[in-house]
mmCIF file of all heavy atoms in Angstrom:
data_model
loop_
_atom_site.group_PDB
_atom_site.id
_atom_site.type_symbol
_atom_site.label_atom_id
_atom_site.label_comp_id
_atom_site.label_asym_id
_atom_site.label_seq_id
_atom_site.Cartn_x
_atom_site.Cartn_y
_atom_site.Cartn_z
ATOM 1 N N LEU A 947 -97.782 -57.122 -28.114
ATOM 2 C CA LEU A 947 -98.469 -56.136 -28.943
ATOM 3 C C LEU A 947 -99.972 -56.136 -28.715
ATOM 4 O O LEU A 947 -100.657 -55.186 -29.091
ATOM 5 C CB LEU A 947 -98.171 -56.401 -30.419
ATOM 6 C CG LEU A 947 -96.726 -56.120 -30.852
ATOM 7 C CD1 LEU A 947 -96.386 -56.870 -32.129
ATOM 8 C CD2 LEU A 947 -96.506 -54.631 -31.010
ATOM 9 N N ALA A 948 -100.482 -57.204 -28.090
ATOM 10 C CA ALA A 948 -101.918 -57.297 -27.823
ATOM 11 C C ALA A 948 -102.246 -57.128 -26.348
ATOM 12 O O ALA A 948 -103.434 -57.143 -25.981
ATOM 13 C CB ALA A 948 -102.441 -58.653 -28.313
ATOM 14 N N GLU A 949 -101.239 -56.963 -25.511
ATOM 15 C CA GLU A 949 -101.447 -56.827 -24.073
ATOM 16 C C GLU A 949 -101.952 -55.423 -23.754
ATOM 17 O O GLU A 949 -101.261 -54.434 -23.982
ATOM 18 C CB GLU A 949 -100.123 -57.086 -23.344
ATOM 19 C CG GLU A 949 -100.120 -56.747 -21.862
ATOM 20 C CD GLU A 949 -101.188 -57.474 -21.086
ATOM 21 O OE1 GLU A 949 -101.148 -58.714 -21.078
ATOM 22 O OE2 GLU A 949 -102.047 -56.772 -20.507
ATOM 23 N N PRO A 950 -103.189 -55.293 -23.217
ATOM 24 C CA PRO A 950 -103.751 -53.957 -22.951
ATOM 25 C C PRO A 950 -102.893 -53.114 -22.011
ATOM 26 O O PRO A 950 -102.798 -51.896 -22.172
ATOM 27 C CB PRO A 950 -105.119 -54.267 -22.332
ATOM 28 C CG PRO A 950 -105.463 -55.633 -22.828
ATOM 29 C CD PRO A 950 -104.158 -56.364 -22.929
ATOM 30 N N ARG A 951 -102.256 -53.753 -21.029
ATOM 31 C CA ARG A 951 -101.442 -52.990 -20.080
ATOM 32 C C ARG A 951 -100.220 -52.361 -20.731
ATOM 33 O O ARG A 951 -99.615 -51.442 -20.180
ATOM 34 C CB ARG A 951 -101.005 -53.902 -18.925
ATOM 35 C CG ARG A 951 -102.137 -54.315 -17.999
ATOM 36 C CD ARG A 951 -101.628 -55.255 -16.923
ATOM 37 N NE ARG A 951 -101.166 -56.524 -17.490
ATOM 38 C CZ ARG A 951 -100.600 -57.498 -16.782
ATOM 39 N NH1 ARG A 951 -100.404 -57.341 -15.481
ATOM 40 N NH2 ARG A 951 -100.215 -58.618 -17.369
ATOM 41 N N ASN A 952 -99.850 -52.852 -21.909
ATOM 42 C CA ASN A 952 -98.677 -52.322 -22.587
ATOM 43 C C ASN A 952 -98.992 -51.164 -23.527
ATOM 44 O O ASN A 952 -98.075 -50.577 -24.100
ATOM 45 C CB ASN A 952 -97.979 -53.425 -23.395
ATOM 46 C CG ASN A 952 -97.177 -54.367 -22.521
ATOM 47 O OD1 ASN A 952 -97.030 -54.149 -21.320
ATOM 48 N ND2 ASN A 952 -96.667 -55.433 -23.111
ATOM 49 N N LEU A 953 -100.277 -50.838 -23.694
ATOM 50 C CA LEU A 953 -100.631 -49.771 -24.631
ATOM 51 C C LEU A 953 -99.926 -48.458 -24.305
ATOM 52 O O LEU A 953 -99.395 -47.797 -25.221
ATOM 53 C CB LEU A 953 -102.147 -49.572 -24.667
ATOM 54 C CG LEU A 953 -102.639 -48.491 -25.652
ATOM 55 C CD1 LEU A 953 -102.190 -48.820 -27.076
ATOM 56 C CD2 LEU A 953 -104.164 -48.369 -25.585
ATOM 57 N N PRO A 954 -99.864 -48.008 -23.034
ATOM 58 C CA PRO A 954 -99.117 -46.768 -22.756
ATOM 59 C C PRO A 954 -97.640 -46.856 -23.150
ATOM 60 O O PRO A 954 -97.048 -45.851 -23.553
ATOM 61 C CB PRO A 954 -99.274 -46.597 -21.240
ATOM 62 C CG PRO A 954 -100.507 -47.353 -20.887
ATOM 63 C CD PRO A 954 -100.516 -48.535 -21.812
ATOM 64 N N VAL A 955 -97.068 -48.039 -23.039
ATOM 65 C CA VAL A 955 -95.666 -48.204 -23.414
ATOM 66 C C VAL A 955 -95.509 -48.077 -24.928
ATOM 67 O O VAL A 955 -94.612 -47.391 -25.430
ATOM 68 C CB VAL A 955 -95.121 -49.561 -22.924
ATOM 69 C CG1 VAL A 955 -93.652 -49.712 -23.309
ATOM 70 C CG2 VAL A 955 -95.292 -49.691 -21.426
ATOM 71 N N TRP A 956 -96.402 -48.738 -25.676
ATOM 72 C CA TRP A 956 -96.335 -48.624 -27.130
ATOM 73 C C TRP A 956 -96.543 -47.178 -27.573
ATOM 74 O O TRP A 956 -95.907 -46.707 -28.522
ATOM 75 C CB TRP A 956 -97.358 -49.535 -27.790
ATOM 76 C CG TRP A 956 -97.052 -51.003 -27.634
ATOM 77 C CD1 TRP A 956 -97.799 -51.941 -27.012
ATOM 78 C CD2 TRP A 956 -95.882 -51.676 -28.113
ATOM 79 N NE1 TRP A 956 -97.185 -53.171 -27.050
ATOM 80 C CE2 TRP A 956 -96.003 -53.035 -27.729
ATOM 81 C CE3 TRP A 956 -94.754 -51.275 -28.819
ATOM 82 C CZ2 TRP A 956 -95.037 -53.980 -28.035
ATOM 83 C CZ3 TRP A 956 -93.784 -52.220 -29.135
ATOM 84 C CH2 TRP A 956 -93.929 -53.555 -28.740
ATOM 85 N N GLU A 957 -97.417 -46.466 -26.891
ATOM 86 C CA GLU A 957 -97.616 -45.062 -27.228
ATOM 87 C C GLU A 957 -96.339 -44.260 -26.993
ATOM 88 O O GLU A 957 -95.974 -43.395 -27.794
ATOM 89 C CB GLU A 957 -98.764 -44.488 -26.391
ATOM 90 C CG GLU A 957 -100.137 -45.026 -26.779
ATOM 91 C CD GLU A 957 -101.236 -44.550 -25.841
ATOM 92 O OE1 GLU A 957 -100.892 -44.065 -24.740
ATOM 93 O OE2 GLU A 957 -102.409 -44.656 -26.197
ATOM 94 N N SER A 958 -95.645 -44.540 -25.888
ATOM 95 C CA SER A 958 -94.406 -43.810 -25.615
ATOM 96 C C SER A 958 -93.345 -44.113 -26.658
ATOM 97 O O SER A 958 -92.482 -43.278 -26.947
ATOM 98 C CB SER A 958 -93.887 -44.151 -24.210
ATOM 99 O OG SER A 958 -93.340 -45.463 -24.160
ATOM 100 N N LEU A 959 -93.393 -45.300 -27.255
ATOM 101 C CA LEU A 959 -92.417 -45.682 -28.262
ATOM 102 C C LEU A 959 -92.757 -45.152 -29.648
ATOM 103 O O LEU A 959 -91.856 -44.822 -30.434
ATOM 104 C CB LEU A 959 -92.304 -47.212 -28.325
ATOM 105 C CG LEU A 959 -91.634 -47.901 -27.139
ATOM 106 C CD1 LEU A 959 -91.869 -49.406 -27.191
ATOM 107 C CD2 LEU A 959 -90.138 -47.607 -27.118
ATOM 108 N N MET A 960 -94.053 -45.054 -29.960
ATOM 109 C CA MET A 960 -94.471 -44.755 -31.329
ATOM 110 C C MET A 960 -95.043 -43.363 -31.524
ATOM 111 O O MET A 960 -95.000 -42.828 -32.638
ATOM 112 C CB MET A 960 -95.510 -45.798 -31.786
ATOM 113 C CG MET A 960 -95.019 -47.226 -31.764
ATOM 114 S SD MET A 960 -96.312 -48.396 -32.244
ATOM 115 C CE MET A 960 -95.521 -49.957 -31.892
#
Side-chain angles (χ1 to χ4, degrees):
L947 291 159
E949 170 57 61
R951 290 178 295 176
N952 284 354
L953 181 58
V955 181
W956 291 118
E957 290 174 344
S958 73
L959 289 167
M960 301 178 188

